[in-house]
Tab-separated table of all heavy atoms in Angstrom:
chain	number	residue	atom	x	y	z
B	469	VAL	N	1.447	36.140	-12.045
B	469	VAL	CA	2.520	36.835	-11.298
B	469	VAL	C	1.941	37.279	-9.974
B	469	VAL	O	1.160	38.073	-9.991
B	469	VAL	CB	3.082	38.011	-12.052
B	469	VAL	CG1	4.286	38.437	-11.343
B	469	VAL	CG2	3.480	37.528	-13.551
B	470	PRO	N	2.481	36.634	-8.844
B	470	PRO	CA	2.038	37.142	-7.651
B	470	PRO	C	2.602	38.563	-7.302
B	470	PRO	O	3.722	38.934	-7.527
B	470	PRO	CB	2.703	36.248	-6.587
B	470	PRO	CG	3.121	35.049	-7.358
B	470	PRO	CD	3.440	35.518	-8.701
B	471	ILE	N	1.669	39.477	-6.997
B	471	ILE	CA	2.199	40.923	-6.657
B	471	ILE	C	1.707	41.373	-5.368
B	471	ILE	O	1.956	42.385	-4.856
B	471	ILE	CB	1.581	41.821	-7.715
B	471	ILE	CG1	0.142	41.697	-7.958
B	471	ILE	CG2	2.347	41.735	-9.009
B	471	ILE	CD1	-0.545	42.805	-8.689
B	472	GLY	N	0.831	40.451	-4.538
B	472	GLY	CA	0.253	40.776	-3.355
B	472	GLY	C	1.300	41.078	-2.330
B	472	GLY	O	2.413	40.358	-2.418
B	473	GLY	N	0.963	41.845	-1.422
B	473	GLY	CA	1.839	42.054	-0.262
B	473	GLY	C	3.193	42.727	-0.607
B	473	GLY	O	4.045	42.706	0.114
B	474	SER	N	3.095	43.431	-1.756
B	474	SER	CA	4.217	44.298	-1.970
B	474	SER	C	3.729	45.535	-2.771
B	474	SER	O	2.678	45.539	-3.143
B	474	SER	CB	5.300	43.576	-2.765
B	474	SER	OG	4.845	43.405	-4.108
B	475	SER	N	4.619	46.418	-2.823
B	475	SER	CA	4.229	47.679	-3.509
B	475	SER	C	4.101	47.438	-5.088
B	475	SER	O	3.656	48.354	-5.744
B	475	SER	CB	5.226	48.825	-3.210
B	475	SER	OG	6.527	48.341	-3.592
B	476	SER	N	4.398	46.266	-5.469
B	476	SER	CA	4.278	45.960	-6.995
B	476	SER	C	2.762	46.267	-7.356
B	476	SER	O	2.647	46.689	-8.481
B	476	SER	CB	4.598	44.435	-7.206
B	476	SER	OG	5.829	44.065	-6.612
B	477	VAL	N	1.919	45.927	-6.451
B	477	VAL	CA	0.557	46.181	-6.840
B	477	VAL	C	0.199	47.632	-7.350
B	477	VAL	O	-0.697	47.795	-8.161
B	477	VAL	CB	-0.402	45.739	-5.619
B	477	VAL	CG1	-0.230	46.687	-4.391
B	477	VAL	CG2	-1.831	45.551	-6.061
B	478	LEU	N	0.969	48.537	-6.834
B	478	LEU	CA	0.681	49.903	-7.256
B	478	LEU	C	1.108	50.158	-8.633
B	478	LEU	O	0.789	51.114	-9.302
B	478	LEU	CB	1.453	50.846	-6.345
B	478	LEU	CG	0.989	50.778	-4.838
B	478	LEU	CD1	1.846	51.634	-3.999
B	478	LEU	CD2	-0.543	51.100	-4.732
B	479	LEU	N	2.045	49.324	-9.135
B	479	LEU	CA	2.610	49.369	-10.455
B	479	LEU	C	1.864	48.680	-11.614
B	479	LEU	O	2.212	48.709	-12.729
B	479	LEU	CB	4.068	48.866	-10.521
B	479	LEU	CG	5.072	49.626	-9.518
B	479	LEU	CD1	6.257	48.742	-9.397
B	479	LEU	CD2	5.344	50.909	-9.965
B	480	PHE	N	0.680	48.186	-11.077
B	480	PHE	CA	-0.038	47.161	-12.011
B	480	PHE	C	-0.390	47.881	-13.340
B	480	PHE	O	-0.136	47.400	-14.399
B	480	PHE	CB	-1.225	46.641	-11.334
B	480	PHE	CG	-2.192	46.002	-12.341
B	480	PHE	CD1	-1.835	44.830	-12.923
B	480	PHE	CD2	-3.428	46.525	-12.744
B	480	PHE	CE1	-2.663	44.105	-13.869
B	480	PHE	CE2	-4.351	45.847	-13.534
B	480	PHE	CZ	-3.881	44.726	-14.179
B	481	ASP	N	-0.882	49.128	-13.251
B	481	ASP	CA	-1.317	49.733	-14.413
B	481	ASP	C	-0.158	49.862	-15.414
B	481	ASP	O	-0.376	49.673	-16.666
B	481	ASP	CB	-2.059	51.130	-14.173
B	481	ASP	CG	-3.422	50.935	-13.545
B	481	ASP	OD1	-3.945	49.954	-13.828
B	481	ASP	OD2	-3.820	51.807	-12.763
B	482	GLU	N	0.891	50.336	-14.955
B	482	GLU	CA	1.969	50.543	-15.853
B	482	GLU	C	2.539	49.285	-16.436
B	482	GLU	O	3.007	49.039	-17.462
B	482	GLU	CB	3.051	51.347	-15.142
B	482	GLU	CG	4.265	51.907	-15.955
B	482	GLU	CD	3.805	52.641	-17.284
B	482	GLU	OE1	2.787	53.168	-17.224
B	482	GLU	OE2	4.597	52.748	-18.198
B	483	ILE	N	2.627	48.227	-15.506
B	483	ILE	CA	3.220	46.934	-15.926
B	483	ILE	C	2.264	46.449	-17.084
B	483	ILE	O	2.718	45.927	-18.061
B	483	ILE	CB	3.098	45.954	-14.695
B	483	ILE	CG1	4.206	46.375	-13.724
B	483	ILE	CG2	3.426	44.575	-15.191
B	483	ILE	CD1	4.198	45.541	-12.468
B	484	LYS	N	0.965	46.593	-16.863
B	484	LYS	CA	-0.016	46.102	-17.872
B	484	LYS	C	0.206	46.852	-19.218
B	484	LYS	O	0.325	46.166	-20.234
B	484	LYS	CB	-1.395	46.278	-17.282
B	484	LYS	CG	-2.498	45.926	-18.375
B	484	LYS	CD	-3.811	46.026	-17.684
B	484	LYS	CE	-4.945	45.769	-18.708
B	484	LYS	NZ	-6.368	45.791	-18.169
Side-chain angles (χ1 to χ4, degrees):
Chain B
V469 183
I471 51 167
S474 74
S475 53
S476 312
V477 65
L478 301 172
L479 300 167
F480 170 65
D481 285 333
E482 188 54 22
I483 291 173
K484 175 172 177 178

